[in-house]
Amino acid sequence: MNTIPAFAVIGGSNGFRLLGDGATGFTDIGRIRTPFGLSEPVFRKEHTAVPFYYMSRHGVSGYTVTAPFVNYRANVYALKMLSVKSILSWSGPGAIDTSYTVGDFVLPDDIIDETKYRARTFYENTGLGFIRQNPVFCPCLEGFIVKVVKRAGLTLKKGGVYVCTDGPRLETKAEIRKYASYGGSFVGMTLAPEAFLARELEMCYRPLCYITNYAEGVVERRYKSGELFEGMNDAGEKQKFEYAVSKLSDIVTAAAAELDADSGLLSGDCSCRMSMERYRKRGDIDAKWWKHLSPGNKRTLR
Ligand SMILES: [Zn+2]
């Protein structure tokens, strides 16, 4: 039995470009059939000391699955089936706080979930899942991601609150003012419920974000038809955005190299991996409780 923790990167917008951008050594192991439906295709990186997987959240041939229609439960469950214990999630939000600029790489430390229409838990009808969310993102992965970003030759801003909206439409000016008043630093559409689902299955999860644009009303931009975000980015910002996106390949390669250099890096105890301990102690679930989960949970979890 493999006791080394498995690791996965979930790629966000433009994540489908990764394999064409020079990230080599991946084998397509296909979509995984889960009780929650089919996952997006999973790719296994070969010849790494730590089992390493890559999944493109929005599909592999383009932006074919927009954020509200991603099957987050199937994707996260599929990684659990592959014995993944730690997930680095890649996504590209827009800046609300102008201390972040387009092209920055950031390590958010909190989230405000503004989504309303997504399947958000594995624990329907179970009485389970009353789980603390501070810290909401894995504290143990921070040091690892800092090393990875450095190895990829990039700089990182730590901290910031990610506001997650449903989409696929972008936000209004008034909504962005509201999120700013909440203390939101940037706004995107993908980390919720993904982060919460990973915690429900006792997996470590940490997002690494790149800033794609300024959120609506943060800077004044003329409306331009037929362009990405209809003119929210000027020419210089488009270049920075494209540069940041292109670095996913380097980050994935650096993550594999970092894990190869220190295969024990992610093997320590982390509170994320004990999130269901209270229910286990209480006898509500067994050691492999997650194998019994299903939509609606008609079956027992023991
Ligand atoms: Zn953790």
Side-chain angles (χ1 to χ4, degrees), residues 85-86 137-141 199 203-205 270-273:
K85 290 193 167 54
S86 298
F137 300 129
C138 173
C140 305
L141 276 171
R199 179 67 53 85
M203 299 153 87
C204 293
Y205 178 101
C270 185
S271 57
C272 314
R273 297 181 193 169

Side-chain angles (χ1 to χ4, degrees), residues 277-289:
E277 184 63 8
R278 184 167 65 95
Y279 299 110
R280 224 168 356 251
K281 274 186 178 169
R282 213 163 69 176
D284 294 345
I285 59 173
D286 63 18
K288 296 286 180 190
W289 86 101

Side-chain angles (χ1 to χ4, degrees), residues 23-250:
T24 54
F26 283 91
T27 301
D28 184 356
I29 59 173
R31 295 173 184 270
I32 309 284
R33 187 171 299 281
T34 80
F36 301 91
L38 281 177
S39 75
E40 288 303 319
V42 179
F43 297 82
R44 187 177 59 227
K45 189 155 175 59
E46 302 300 342
H47 312 303
T48 54
V50 175
F52 188 111
Y53 299 98
Y54 178 76
M55 173 190 280
S56 173
R57 188 188 284 120
H58 299 293
V60 290
S61 57
Y63 195 70
T64 49
V65 188
T66 55
F69 305 105
V70 170
N71 189 339
Y72 296 96
R73 291 197 299 188
N75 288 349
V76 172
Y77 195 96
L79 296 179
K80 183 74 178 178
M81 289 170 72
L82 293 167
S83 302
V84 167
K85 290 193 167 54
S86 298
I87 298 170
L88 187 162
S89 156
W90 168 259
S91 70
I96 297 172
D97 176 345
T98 53
S99 60
Y100 300 91
T101 56
V102 173
D104 280 352
F105 295 95
V106 275
L107 196 61
D109 59 9
D110 214 336
I111 184 167
I112 296 171
D113 181 5
E114 288 285 297
T115 65
K116 303 179 185 72
Y117 306 108
R118 301 181 183 189
R120 58 191 61 250
T121 180
F122 290 111
Y123 298 128
E124 296 167 5
N125 305 314
T126 61
L128 306 176
F130 198 57
I131 299 172
R132 187 173 177 186
Q133 298 295 333
N134 179 23
V136 65
F137 300 129
C138 173
C140 305
L141 276 171
E142 179 168 331
F144 168 71
I145 294 177
V146 168
K147 281 186 181 178
V148 165
V149 171
K150 193 174 172 193
R151 186 185 271 263
L154 306 167
T155 54
L156 184 65
K157 287 185 177 173
K158 285 193 201 171
V161 178
Y162 181 107
V163 179
C164 192
T165 59
D166 264 317
R169 69 166 177 85
L170 297 177
E171 304 75 29
T172 68
K173 272 174 83 169
E175 285 168 341
I176 294 300
R177 285 199 301 275
K178 181 178 85 166
Y179 303 149
S181 76
Y182 288 177
S185 312
F186 18 80
V187 61
M189 298 175 189
T190 48
L191 298 191
E194 195 174 80
F196 306 118
L197 293 170
R199 179 67 53 85
E200 285 191 345
L201 295 188
E202 298 192 322
M203 299 153 87
C204 293
Y205 178 101
R206 189 92 196 208
L208 169 60
C209 298
Y210 62 99
I211 302 296
T212 58
N213 60 289
Y214 294 104
E216 194 63 76
V218 171
V219 294
E220 285 304 324
R221 290 286 154 76
R222 194 165 55 84
Y223 191 97
K224 292 183 192 166
S225 298
E227 293 192 8
L228 178 64
F229 306 143
E230 283 77 36
M232 287 174 80
N233 273 347
D234 65 22
E237 288 160 5
K238 272 182 200 159
Q239 266 190 347
K240 288 179 183 167
F241 158 70
E242 287 292 342
Y243 177 78
V245 167
S246 74
K247 290 295 156 186
L248 173 59
S249 162
D250 289 353

